[in-house]
Each structure stands twice: as C-alpha cells, then as structure tokens.
Amino acid sequence: MNTFTANWEDEENNRIVQLAVDYQIDDGQIAIDTVTPTSIIFFDSASRTPVRRIGVWTEKGRAVLRRQFQAETPARHLQNLIEQELPITVS
C-alpha cells in the first residue's frame, strides 16, 4: 500500500483540508483504500493568509470531513491527482 498527500481547498469555509490517501495499483488501475483527513488550515477570508492550523484526531471529525470532501469533489479526483504524480504510467 502507498500513501499520497492531497489538499482539498474548501473555499466556502476558508480552509484547506490535508488528506492522507492510501492506495494500491491493481492491474494498472489506482484503487483508493482510505482517505484520512489529517489537518485543517483556516484562512482569513479577506487576505487569504493562514490564521490557524489544527489536527484532526477523532474518527467522528474525520468522517464528517470525508463526507464533505466526497460530496464536493468528483469521484475520480484523487485517482487523477495520483496518476499525475506517479513516475510510471497507469492504464
């Protein structure tokens, strides 16, 4: 299993959620195993400068952020990000 770090920019809430994405490559395809929100960076809406960073430690907090991410992001978004970063070609 491999891990990829991704950021989800949630502009509506002025935050960036950092995600740890565990994945495998099966038959040339990327299969996402788990998506774990690890931290949140809050921004000042006017200046777009970071104001505060907090860790996401509870499973309930991770589940809420995971659901929000999935509701706002296309299904293949993470696979596409990983494909762009991989040194090998995935089919």
Side-chain angles (χ1 to χ4, degrees):
M1 184 172 324
N2 302 295
T3 301
F4 179 79
T5 301
N7 291 323
W8 164 46
E9 188 169 349
D10 182 6
E11 292 180 16
E12 185 175 312
N13 294 307
N14 294 315
R15 66 185 181 183
I16 291 179
V17 179
Q18 295 181 317
L19 308 165
V21 182
D22 292 327
Y23 70 94
Q24 299 179 56
I25 299 177
D26 295 325
D27 297 324
Q29 298 293 319
I30 295 173
I32 303 292
D33 293 323
T34 58
V35 177
T36 307
T38 57
S39 66
I40 304 170
I41 302 168
F42 294 96
F43 288 87
D44 177 86
S45 59
S47 66
R48 292 294 297 159
T49 56
V51 176
R52 183 176 181 205
R53 179 185 184 138
I54 62 171
V56 182
W57 302 108
T58 67
E59 188 51 44
K60 187 172 184 174
R62 289 176 175 162
V64 168
L65 289 167
R66 193 178 304 115
R67 279 193 304 273
Q68 290 174 348
F69 170 75
Q70 291 169 340
E72 295 182 22
T73 309
R76 280 208 34 91
H77 179 72
L78 290 174
Q79 286 93 336
N80 292 339
L81 286 176
I82 295 168
E83 286 173 6
Q84 292 172 6
E85 295 296 319
L86 284 178
I88 57 171
T89 304
V90 228
S91 54

